[in-house]
Amino acid sequence: MNPPVLEAKQLNKTYRMKNGTPFAAVKNVSFSLMKGETLGIVGESGSGKTTVAKMIAGMIPVTSGDIAMDGKLLSAGAKRPLAAKRHIQYIFQDPVSSLNPRLKVWDILAEPLKLYFKLPQQEVDSRVDQLLRDVGLPNHYKLSYPRELSGGQCQRVGIARALAAEPSIIVCDEPTSALDMTIQSQILDLLKELQQRRGISYLFIAHGLEVIYSISQRVMVMRQGEVVETGLTQAIFADPQHAYTQSLIQAIPRIDIPYFE
Ligand SMILES: Nc1ncnc2c1ncn2[C@@H]1O[C@H](COP(=O)(O)OP(=O)(O)OP(=O)(O)O)[C@@H](O)[C@H]1O
Ligand SMILES: [Mg+2]
């Protein structure tokens, strides 16, 4: 089997609350992510999913634990080399607020192209056009501001911005929860198609298991900062071991998911 593209070992994150007391938001979380794979992270609000995601993407430092990409240890934030930052991109839950309101779509997409590849203007232009095609947005949207687009269109821009960096990993932090059902499935289809064509690995976060079922091969269930169960998605649906996982499966509206047909 191929070595993992990403390995997280014994990740811990302790936040300091306003009154000074420590709060352990993530406790001893370990996992690996293979090339071209989608690993789902599921759990209720506050279970630590975004905290894990942000540590992986280097947006916040770990309190303890190791993150390695292609076998090399990674640090957080400014200390992470540009090449490593480029390879782990992030798609946010709120598509509109994740885009700078003062920039047109063209500038939003040009930013990573200039930062990571130092492309000359003319090439930036043609890459922006290609990225818009890749995510199914008409070309004229490059002259629009985020506020002029729908939530689904903004999320397509968010996906294009992540793709611009040509990453090996995309952290998708509940990328469809702010969208209505039909738009949700269009965005999921787009993510699946992009993965098939490019072999990108996704760390895909969701509140509930219904979205996870359709997109991820493996799933990790988190509760109160800890992993309570992990395994193949099919196996977890067929035979959930932990009572919390069972409650997540029971919470799924039956009509949403082929498993219950
Ligand atoms: N910067 C911070 N300072 C203090 N506590 C924080 C901070 N960020 C998150 N927390 C706390 O850590 C816990 C985990 O938060 P996190 O955002 O990782 O959860 P989540 O699983 O992503 O939840 P949701 O599904 O609502 O997005 C929560 O109790 C949250 O209040
Ligand atoms: Mg979150």
Side-chain angles (χ1 to χ4, degrees):
M1 197 155 79
N2 290 334
V5 277
L6 186 86
E7 267 182 301
K9 282 196 191 131
Q10 297 288 309
L11 293 186
N12 283 278
K13 181 72 188 179
T14 301
Y15 291 115
R16 205 148 278 282
M17 308 308 282
K18 289 215 169 63
N19 64 8
T21 50
F23 170 71
V26 169
K27 296 172 243 177
N28 297 322
V29 169
S30 300
F31 60 88
S32 51
L33 181 66
M34 305 298 163
K35 183 172 164 50
E37 179 194 37
T38 299
L39 173 67
I41 303 183
V42 69
E44 65 202 350
S45 187
S47 55
K49 307 180 298 295
T50 296
T51 303
V52 169
K54 286 187 170 169
M55 289 193 284
I56 295 297
M59 291 153 68
I60 55 171
V62 303
T63 303
S64 66
D66 287 331
I67 299 165
M69 191 174 65
D70 296 326
K72 289 194 205 80
L73 281 182
L74 294 176
S75 46
K79 293 194 205 117
R80 199 172 268 196
L82 202 60
K85 282 190 188 165
R86 172 170 90 72
H87 273 296
I88 307 182
Q89 292 294 306
Y90 205 100
I91 302 173
F92 296 85
Q93 177 169 356
D94 183 342
V96 183
S97 73
S98 79
L99 305 175
N100 185 336
R102 282 177 225 93
L103 296 183
K104 289 183 179 166
V105 168
W106 189 93
D107 296 287
I108 291 169
L109 299 181
E111 212 166 58
L113 295 171
K114 290 177 186 167
L115 174 69
Y116 295 121
F117 303 108
K118 316 259 181 295
L119 291 183
Q121 184 75 12
Q122 213 183 343
E123 276 184 54
V124 171
D125 269 336
S126 63
R127 282 291 295 140
V128 168
D129 290 350
Q130 182 62 49
L131 285 164
L132 289 169
R133 275 196 295 277
D134 290 342
V135 298
L137 279 178
N139 189 268
H140 63 85
Y141 280 121
K142 67 185 171 188
L143 301 174
S144 304
Y145 288 96
R147 64 170 181 276
E148 296 165 337
L149 306 182
S150 71
Q153 288 167 336
C154 281
Q155 200 54 298
R156 285 176 193 268
V157 175
I159 294 168
R161 176 177 58 184
L163 290 178
E166 296 178 25
S168 37
I169 298 162
I170 303 181
V171 177
C172 307
D173 190 354
E174 304 204 41
T176 61
S177 352
L179 307 172
D180 67 38
M181 287 299 276
T182 42
I183 308 298
Q184 268 190 25
S185 62
Q186 288 169 13
I187 296 289
L188 290 176
D189 287 345
L190 173 65
L191 287 170
K192 284 186 234 176
E193 177 204 317
L194 291 168
Q195 181 175 54
Q196 270 159 17
R197 276 200 268 138
R198 294 160 200 243
I200 309 171
S201 308
Y202 293 146
L203 198 59
F204 194 101
I205 294 170
H207 253 88
L209 274 166
E210 62 273 34
V211 178
I212 294 291
Y213 182 86
S214 76
I215 196 152
S216 71
Q217 292 86 51
R218 281 193 307 135
V219 60
M220 184 167 98
V221 181
M222 285 189 69
R223 187 173 190 220
Q224 296 173 355
E226 291 177 297
V227 176
V228 296
E229 185 162 358
T230 181
L232 291 172
T233 308
Q234 297 278 353
I236 291 227
F237 269 82
D239 187 19
Q241 298 298 306
H242 196 282
Y244 179 63
T245 315
Q246 290 163 6
S247 73
L248 287 177
I249 292 176
Q250 270 151 20
I252 300 174
R254 296 294 193 262
I255 46 168
D256 277 359
I257 188 151
Y259 178 77
F260 292 109
E261 276 169 5

